[in-house]
């Protein structure tokens, strides 16, 4: 059951990223590189590029950008007065976003859109979808993205050719300049375990063993459960039964309270963004929740509970901080927009037919077929599709592009001689390979907002070269896959 495996991989990947951030692994890693890898500007740009790329292969690139932004801003504090801070900020923006976007193409966990596309394969029941899992995506994604990341480094260094190499000065301090061995070993062991299980699934495809689940599915289920329990229940300070009990009560309270917090936080975000007065509702809900938390904690442990927004310092991860950090308004907009797109695509759809054949789908399908007719080979569709998806994502949501075009790709696949699986994955990957504008992806938007001043002209120029390069590489990869027997 690949959907179950993908869900567990995404969940544990998110929790793993939070554990690494809580341990300040990203700060310690960059400090080590500053101490041992040279402090020249080109060396630092390469370090940021490769770190964001490497982490984004296994963790969500949006999370990676959020984690590395404070690190990069710290580096910006070492810029000497004689150098343009705007120029250096632009270069670090390029290194951070180029690395995160490229790493996000390499695996199912690197970009939320990748997992979404895997879900579409299941939703449309595409043939050979069982071959698409964490391992198979990784085996194709890493070689392809290594080519793209090499091109990214060349483009960034070419952009930095007029910038002083000795622009950054790192203070002479040994503080936290050692490699975070334990954190990196913990990260590597988890990724190795996930990759091994996915590889066994890809090659052996074990039969169901219990309730439709194979022993690989059961292995993933046990692993995900143990990882979550370790993250939220294992005492961060002293491993005593009393601390485990406190962490358990804390976790269960906020998990069961999530529906109330969901209503409260959505109301708060709606008031903040749309100026609709909903404060009486969310203040009442959170006040009652605080009173209940105080009463429960005092009765069980005989001590004050603290605020419901205070982190649980006794555990590796605090469930309430994760709940409060969820971008509720953004998720609400995505849900509403996705529902709107779904309704539009299904206007005129015949429920008696398995394929999507609404008015819009039929119109665009006919347009695509008319464009394909004069071509000598339908294989030209992949390069054209990749370029169109990449550049369209610069101004439109890449998720919206995939939602709109995925039924069209499936409908036109029989007319092109190409597999729907190849067309859908090519579309998804190309839509994620958008480097030009801050609107291209959440990672780009977060990075753009994290720098005080950057040159939009430089970003667009360098991003255009990356779009072209990534489109070419992705087209070659999927053309090669389409020719396989």
């Amino acid at each position: 059951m690949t959907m179950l495996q993908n869900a567990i991989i995404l969940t544990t990947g998110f929790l793993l990223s939070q554990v690494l951030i809580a341990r300040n692994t990203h700060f310690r890693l960059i400090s080590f590189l500053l101490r041992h890898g040279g402090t020249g500007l080109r060396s630092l740009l390469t370090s940021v590029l490769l770190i964001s790329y490497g982490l984004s292969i296994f963790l969500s690139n949006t999370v990676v950008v959020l984690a590395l932004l404070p690190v990069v801003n710290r580096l910006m504090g070492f810029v000497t007065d004689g150098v343009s801070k705007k120029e250096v900020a632009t270069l670090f923006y390029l290194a951070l976003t180029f690395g995160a976007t490229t790493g996000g193409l390499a695996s199912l966990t690197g970009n939320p859109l990748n997992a979404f596309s895997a879900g579409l394969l299941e939703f449309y029941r595409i043939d050979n979808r069982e071959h698409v899992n964490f391992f198979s995506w990784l085996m194709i994604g890493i070689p392809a993205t290594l080519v793209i990341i090499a091109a990214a480094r060349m483009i960034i260094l070419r952009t930095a050719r007029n910038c002083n190499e000795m622009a950054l000065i790192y203070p002479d301090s040994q503080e936290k300049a050692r490699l975070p061995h334990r954190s990196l070993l913990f990260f590597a062991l988890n990724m190795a375990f996930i990759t091994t299980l996915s590889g066994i699934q890809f090659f052996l495809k074990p039969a169901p063993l219990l309730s439709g689940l194979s022993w690989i599915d059961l292995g993933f289920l046990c692993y995900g459960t143990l990882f979550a329990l370790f993250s939220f229940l294992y005492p961060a300070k002293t491993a005593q039964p009393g601390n485990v009990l406190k962490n358990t009560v804390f976790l269960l309270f906020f998990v069961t309270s999530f529906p109330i917090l969901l209503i409260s936080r959505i109301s708060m975000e709606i008031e903040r963004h749309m100026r609709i007065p909903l404060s009486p509702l969310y203040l009442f809900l959170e006040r009652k929740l605080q009173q209940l938390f105080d009463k429960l904690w005092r009765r069980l442990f005989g001590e004050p509970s603290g605020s419901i927004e205070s982190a649980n310092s006794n555990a590796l991860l605090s469930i309430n901080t994760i709940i409060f950090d969820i971008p509720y308004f953004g998720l609400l907009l995505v849900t509403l927009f996705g529902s709107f797109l779904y309704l539009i695509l299904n206007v005129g759809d015949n429920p008696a037919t398995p394929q999507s054949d609404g008015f819009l789908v039929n119109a665009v399908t006919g347009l695509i077929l008319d464009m394909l007719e004069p071509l000598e080979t339908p294989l030209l569709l992949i390069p054209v599709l990749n370029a169109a998806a990449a550049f369209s994502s610069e101004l439109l949501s890449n998720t919206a592009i995939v939602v709109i075009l995925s039924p069209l790709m499936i409908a036109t696949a029989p007319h092109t001689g190409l597999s729907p699986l190849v067309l859908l994955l090519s579309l998804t990957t190309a839509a994620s390979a958008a480097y030009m504008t801050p609107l291209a992806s959440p990672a780009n938007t977060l990075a753009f907002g994290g720098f005080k001043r950057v040159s939009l002209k430089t970003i667009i120029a360098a991003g255009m070269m990356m779009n072209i390069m990534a489109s070419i590489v992705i087209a070659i990869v999927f053309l090669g896959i389409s020719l396989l027997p």
Side-chain angles (χ1 to χ4, degrees), residues 77-88:
F78 306 144
V79 178
T80 57
D81 294 336
V83 179
S84 169
K85 291 189 177 183
K86 181 177 181 180
E87 184 177 1
V88 175

Side-chain angles (χ1 to χ4, degrees), residues 13 63 348 385:
V63 173
L385 174 68

Side-chain angles (χ1 to χ4, degrees), residues 367-390:
L367 178 62
I368 293 175
L369 292 177
D370 290 340
M371 294 173 60
L372 285 176
E373 187 175 355
L375 300 178
E376 295 181 1
T377 170
L379 292 180
L380 290 175
L381 176 63
I382 290 181
V384 172
L385 174 68
N386 288 347

Side-chain angles (χ1 to χ4, degrees), residues 349-355 357:
D349 184 62
N350 184 358
T353 56
Q355 73 275 11
D357 54 1

Side-chain angles (χ1 to χ4, degrees), residues 19 32 34 39 41 138 172 187 208 220 255 301 310 331 452:
V19 171
F32 174 84
L34 284 168
T39 57
L41 178 59
L138 204 64
D172 187 18
F187 172 75
F220 269 107
V255 169
F301 305 112
S310 300
L331 291 178
K452 292 183 179 180

Side-chain angles (χ1 to χ4, degrees), residues 10-32:
L10 287 171
T11 303
T12 54
F14 172 76
L15 294 178
L16 179 58
S17 68
Q18 297 301 308
V19 171
L20 294 177
I21 292 171
R23 302 286 294 179
N24 287 322
T25 303
H26 50 308
F27 277 105
R28 295 165 61 193
L29 184 59
I30 201 71
S31 296
F32 174 84

